Amino acid sequence: MARRSLRQRLIVLLVAALGAVQILTLSAVLLATHRNVRFELHNRLGVAEDVFERLYESRFRQLLASVEVLSSDFGFKQAAASADRATIASALENHGARAGADVALLVALDGQMVASNDAQASLADNPTWQALLGQLRRDDTLLATVTLDRAAYQLVATPVRAPEKIGWLLLGFAVNDTLAAELRHLTGLEVSFVTRSPRPHLLASTLSDVARGALLAASPVSTVAGKSPVGELSLNGERYIGRTLALASADPHVDVLLQQSLSAALLPYHRLAWRLAAFFTLVLALAIAAGVSVARSVTAPLQQLAGAAARIGEGQYGSEVEVQSDDEIGQLAATINGMQFEIAEREHRIVHQAHHDDLTGLPNRWLANDRLNGAIHRAQRSARPFSVALLDLSRFKQINDSLGHHVGDVVLKETARRIVARARRADTVARLGGDDFLLVLEGADIQQARAILSVLRSSLTQPIELEGMSVSLDFRAGVASYPEHGEDPSSLMRRAEIAMYDAKDSQEWLVPYRAGRDEGHLRQLAIVATLPAALARDELTLHYQAKADMGSGLIAQAEALVRWVHPQFGFLPPDEFITVIEQSGNIAMLTAWIIDRAARQCREWLSQGLDIKVSVNLSALDLLNDELPALLERCLHQYQLSPRQLGLEVTESAVMRDPASALAVLARLRETGFGLSIDDFGTGYSSLAQLKRMPVDELKIDKSFVLHLNESSDDRVIVKSTIDLAHTLGLKVVAEGVETVDAWHCLRQLGCDVAQGYLIAKPLAPAEFERFLRANGQSCVTLTEAAA
């Protein structure tokens, strides 16, 4: 169903409201009119009743006076005294006609009718005659309405004396239409006389012939003597209001019905009602016209506002709402205009923030990708190459961590400013996040890009002065060129990133992308992506390399070394996948798996009577993980091990990456009871002061110093100095890479404590490691047996 507009609803509402008011007003007027008319008619009926009764009674008195005059006439008395019925009848007829009576009777004292001017008239037929006779005898006069032969008469009686009372003279005056008309003339009411016995019969009425028949059919006659309540009835389509009453001194079977036409009384008001209806219709028509005008004046600006809202919703903010008024709609228009401006400003800021870096204001990765697409299209049209350079700031992390993030933010903003200042107008400079910046060098091949970046480097390496200190920066850059290294944004950015990592690894300040490196990068991504599933499927395994005590030759320790046979790449060298996993930030996942598997294996060996201390290697990132001690404690609890049964090995370089944090974690582990080793000692840059502060138990001399121990005097001096230094600090020494008997003897002479290498055993799977131990005398082996 179609929705009606606001204008239509306003018009309908105004018309409906005004129409309802008019209908209610007209209804109230008509209702009040009807009530007033009925009230007036009721009052008139009451007054008319009194008038009617007085008139009717007055007519009786007038008739009585006429009868008394007649009964006193000497001629009539002589006729009555003659006792001749014919003479009496003639006298009654003459004198009755002179009095205007319709019936004249002479009744003897015994109640018998002596003579009458109407042979049909007989009082004996009247059922109330005996009561009337009794009244006549008592009062000597009579005023009554009686029925004789389906006709009603006002009967008046007076005694006849000649000279003694010989009877009564009764004159009857017909109750007919003439009487009713006279009474209507005097009362203003319709008058009807009705007899109820033996059945209702209309004696006389002022009603029309049609209304008379309807009156009897309506049966309005009361069956109880006296006044009846005012009632209404409809006679031939015309409504009347009336009352039935019994007359004084009347035959109880005769009623009088007084009526007033309600339709006639309401007729003037009906005309008024039609006039009012016509007036209200005119007013309603005018109201509709006014409503349309008002609705248009209200909805027109609202339609403008709705159109403005629709434009704003579509992102069009250039047109203001032109509503010239000082009312609420004008205020709303002004508010919408202000809101439109604010939305435009806010949207501009949002779009800018969505496409730019908050800190530096440079384009972000999304906008850089869009600009890179544009550069590709331009290069396709012009057939000219361009280059993409990805810069990573050197030493920024150390500056940020040591001097605070606020200093780091200042350095980033200053770096961005310098890059923009040195970049060409057509180039795009973007910050991808952290300390990585992207440059799209329009129209520049690799050699031109190197020249541009060389100028930029000379600017960036200038010291930054801030807060009383001087900070110097450098960067490592990877460059990829279109179309040589890629023809789409993702390929160009990926290969520039690969070249940047190559620059970081090679310590060169700029490295162009080299063909084939993309496959290596994809291999690294695949290694990282498949690690979680590989751990869940136990694709990785732990091998164990024995460590021998150089004094006793006993084997009581082993180092856990992880191995991975990848379903796609086959055997992965540990140095490859561990480095990739560490760079991706997933080393904690691998470390947790290694610790769990090593602890479980240690528990299995203990249950078999093999008491072997197992050492695991920790990454530099592991030492920055505050959850590491809790993880180790959970493993000890789960597998019911003591801390002495798990050893932890960390490299010098791992500790030196963040000495404060690493030393704090190592201290917590030492307090728990774990044995700690510095792995690959001699390859890092730790000072003697740092070594003294390290809470460790042993040093592991890197195999690079052990492999040529007998051939190189320098290596021998370094190894001897390391052993002496460690013993001075109270540390044990483990030598890695022991592969010959001569190396064993030399290390033993130099005072080394523990040896590890192929001379003793290669890294073995758990089952092979068990067989190796049991084959050499209950988990111990002598040097001679190992050499053999």
Side-chain angles (χ1 to χ4, degrees), residues 569-585:
F569 305 122
F571 177 78
L572 294 177
D575 289 345
E576 178 187 2
F577 72 81
I578 290 177
T579 301
V580 170
I581 292 172
E582 188 171 21
Q583 290 176 349
S584 69

mmCIF file of all heavy atoms in Angstrom, residues 569-585:
data_model
loop_
_atom_site.group_PDB
_atom_site.id
_atom_site.type_symbol
_atom_site.label_atom_id
_atom_site.label_comp_id
_atom_site.label_asym_id
_atom_site.label_seq_id
_atom_site.Cartn_x
_atom_site.Cartn_y
_atom_site.Cartn_z
ATOM 1 N N PHE A 569 58.439 -29.054 1.860
ATOM 2 C CA PHE A 569 59.845 -28.715 1.611
ATOM 3 C C PHE A 569 60.820 -29.791 2.068
ATOM 4 O O PHE A 569 62.027 -29.645 1.875
ATOM 5 C CB PHE A 569 60.183 -27.394 2.320
ATOM 6 C CG PHE A 569 59.278 -26.256 1.941
ATOM 7 C CD1 PHE A 569 58.550 -25.578 2.897
ATOM 8 C CD2 PHE A 569 59.152 -25.871 0.609
ATOM 9 C CE1 PHE A 569 57.712 -24.536 2.560
ATOM 10 C CE2 PHE A 569 58.316 -24.823 0.261
ATOM 11 C CZ PHE A 569 57.590 -24.158 1.228
ATOM 12 N N GLY A 570 60.301 -30.830 2.712
ATOM 13 C CA GLY A 570 61.195 -31.869 3.207
ATOM 14 C C GLY A 570 61.904 -31.420 4.488
ATOM 15 O O GLY A 570 61.370 -30.614 5.258
ATOM 16 N N PHE A 571 63.119 -31.950 4.709
ATOM 17 C CA PHE A 571 63.859 -31.597 5.926
ATOM 18 C C PHE A 571 64.253 -30.133 5.885
ATOM 19 O O PHE A 571 64.864 -29.655 4.926
ATOM 20 C CB PHE A 571 65.105 -32.475 6.067
ATOM 21 C CG PHE A 571 65.947 -32.116 7.248
ATOM 22 C CD1 PHE A 571 65.568 -32.524 8.524
ATOM 23 C CD2 PHE A 571 67.107 -31.350 7.104
ATOM 24 C CE1 PHE A 571 66.338 -32.181 9.628
ATOM 25 C CE2 PHE A 571 67.869 -31.000 8.202
ATOM 26 C CZ PHE A 571 67.481 -31.419 9.471
ATOM 27 N N LEU A 572 63.911 -29.424 6.970
ATOM 28 C CA LEU A 572 64.249 -28.011 7.091
ATOM 29 C C LEU A 572 65.387 -27.866 8.091
ATOM 30 O O LEU A 572 65.281 -28.327 9.233
ATOM 31 C CB LEU A 572 63.040 -27.208 7.586
ATOM 32 C CG LEU A 572 61.825 -27.133 6.644
ATOM 33 C CD1 LEU A 572 60.684 -26.366 7.320
ATOM 34 C CD2 LEU A 572 62.204 -26.451 5.336
ATOM 35 N N PRO A 573 66.479 -27.232 7.695
ATOM 36 C CA PRO A 573 67.568 -26.987 8.659
ATOM 37 C C PRO A 573 67.050 -26.142 9.827
ATOM 38 O O PRO A 573 66.303 -25.169 9.610
ATOM 39 C CB PRO A 573 68.597 -26.216 7.842
ATOM 40 C CG PRO A 573 68.294 -26.565 6.418
ATOM 41 C CD PRO A 573 66.820 -26.747 6.352
ATOM 42 N N PRO A 574 67.423 -26.493 11.047
ATOM 43 C CA PRO A 574 66.940 -25.722 12.207
ATOM 44 C C PRO A 574 67.280 -24.243 12.109
ATOM 45 O O PRO A 574 66.451 -23.393 12.473
ATOM 46 C CB PRO A 574 67.645 -26.379 13.391
ATOM 47 C CG PRO A 574 67.909 -27.776 12.920
ATOM 48 C CD PRO A 574 68.200 -27.673 11.455
ATOM 49 N N ASP A 575 68.491 -23.916 11.617
ATOM 50 C CA ASP A 575 68.851 -22.502 11.519
ATOM 51 C C ASP A 575 67.879 -21.745 10.617
ATOM 52 O O ASP A 575 67.596 -20.559 10.843
ATOM 53 C CB ASP A 575 70.277 -22.363 10.966
ATOM 54 C CG ASP A 575 71.320 -22.803 11.988
ATOM 55 O OD1 ASP A 575 70.937 -22.925 13.177
ATOM 56 O OD2 ASP A 575 72.479 -23.029 11.609
ATOM 57 N N GLU A 576 67.317 -22.419 9.588
ATOM 58 C CA GLU A 576 66.396 -21.747 8.670
ATOM 59 C C GLU A 576 65.043 -21.488 9.327
ATOM 60 O O GLU A 576 64.580 -20.345 9.411
ATOM 61 C CB GLU A 576 66.200 -22.578 7.399
ATOM 62 C CG GLU A 576 65.197 -21.935 6.439
ATOM 63 C CD GLU A 576 64.860 -22.831 5.256
ATOM 64 O OE1 GLU A 576 65.376 -23.970 5.191
ATOM 65 O OE2 GLU A 576 64.053 -22.396 4.399
ATOM 66 N N PHE A 577 64.392 -22.561 9.780
ATOM 67 C CA PHE A 577 63.010 -22.353 10.234
ATOM 68 C C PHE A 577 62.954 -21.663 11.592
ATOM 69 O O PHE A 577 62.008 -20.903 11.866
ATOM 70 C CB PHE A 577 62.209 -23.656 10.209
ATOM 71 C CG PHE A 577 62.556 -24.664 11.271
ATOM 72 C CD1 PHE A 577 62.060 -24.555 12.567
ATOM 73 C CD2 PHE A 577 63.352 -25.758 10.959
ATOM 74 C CE1 PHE A 577 62.364 -25.511 13.528
ATOM 75 C CE2 PHE A 577 63.649 -26.709 11.912
ATOM 76 C CZ PHE A 577 63.152 -26.593 13.215
ATOM 77 N N ILE A 578 63.964 -21.856 12.453
ATOM 78 C CA ILE A 578 63.937 -21.154 13.743
ATOM 79 C C ILE A 578 64.103 -19.654 13.532
ATOM 80 O O ILE A 578 63.425 -18.837 14.167
ATOM 81 C CB ILE A 578 65.028 -21.720 14.675
ATOM 82 C CG1 ILE A 578 64.652 -23.148 15.115
ATOM 83 C CG2 ILE A 578 65.188 -20.820 15.910
ATOM 84 C CD1 ILE A 578 65.700 -23.823 15.969
ATOM 85 N N THR A 579 65.010 -19.293 12.619
ATOM 86 C CA THR A 579 65.209 -17.859 12.335
ATOM 87 C C THR A 579 63.926 -17.232 11.775
ATOM 88 O O THR A 579 63.530 -16.137 12.179
ATOM 89 C CB THR A 579 66.353 -17.681 11.340
ATOM 90 O OG1 THR A 579 67.549 -18.245 11.878
ATOM 91 C CG2 THR A 579 66.565 -16.205 11.041
ATOM 92 N N VAL A 580 63.281 -17.938 10.831
ATOM 93 C CA VAL A 580 62.051 -17.410 10.226
ATOM 94 C C VAL A 580 60.952 -17.271 11.272
ATOM 95 O O VAL A 580 60.240 -16.254 11.327
ATOM 96 C CB VAL A 580 61.593 -18.324 9.063
ATOM 97 C CG1 VAL A 580 60.194 -17.930 8.591
ATOM 98 C CG2 VAL A 580 62.583 -18.270 7.929
ATOM 99 N N ILE A 581 60.804 -18.281 12.106
ATOM 100 C CA ILE A 581 59.758 -18.257 13.126
ATOM 101 C C ILE A 581 60.019 -17.153 14.143
ATOM 102 O O ILE A 581 59.102 -16.455 14.601
ATOM 103 C CB ILE A 581 59.654 -19.632 13.812
ATOM 104 C CG1 ILE A 581 59.129 -20.671 12.810
ATOM 105 C CG2 ILE A 581 58.756 -19.560 15.051
ATOM 106 C CD1 ILE A 581 59.178 -22.094 13.321
ATOM 107 N N GLU A 582 61.309 -16.964 14.467
ATOM 108 C CA GLU A 582 61.649 -15.900 15.407
ATOM 109 C C GLU A 582 61.360 -14.536 14.802
ATOM 110 O O GLU A 582 60.804 -13.651 15.465
ATOM 111 C CB GLU A 582 63.120 -16.016 15.807
ATOM 112 C CG GLU A 582 63.505 -15.064 16.931
ATOM 113 C CD GLU A 582 64.910 -15.345 17.448
ATOM 114 O OE1 GLU A 582 65.695 -15.967 16.715
ATOM 115 O OE2 GLU A 582 65.213 -14.927 18.580
ATOM 116 N N GLN A 583 61.680 -14.335 13.539
ATOM 117 C CA GLN A 583 61.415 -13.057 12.877
ATOM 118 C C GLN A 583 59.915 -12.782 12.758
ATOM 119 O O GLN A 583 59.484 -11.626 12.771
ATOM 120 C CB GLN A 583 62.064 -13.040 11.487
ATOM 121 C CG GLN A 583 63.583 -12.971 11.515
ATOM 122 C CD GLN A 583 64.191 -13.066 10.129
ATOM 123 O OE1 GLN A 583 63.498 -13.380 9.150
ATOM 124 N NE2 GLN A 583 65.491 -12.812 10.029
ATOM 125 N N SER A 584 59.117 -13.834 12.622
ATOM 126 C CA SER A 584 57.668 -13.658 12.484
ATOM 127 C C SER A 584 56.972 -13.419 13.822
ATOM 128 O O SER A 584 55.782 -13.118 13.852
ATOM 129 C CB SER A 584 57.045 -14.888 11.811
ATOM 130 O OG SER A 584 57.115 -16.017 12.684
ATOM 131 N N GLY A 585 57.707 -13.586 14.930
ATOM 132 C CA GLY A 585 57.108 -13.367 16.243
ATOM 133 C C GLY A 585 56.374 -14.573 16.793
ATOM 134 O O GLY A 585 55.633 -14.456 17.786
#
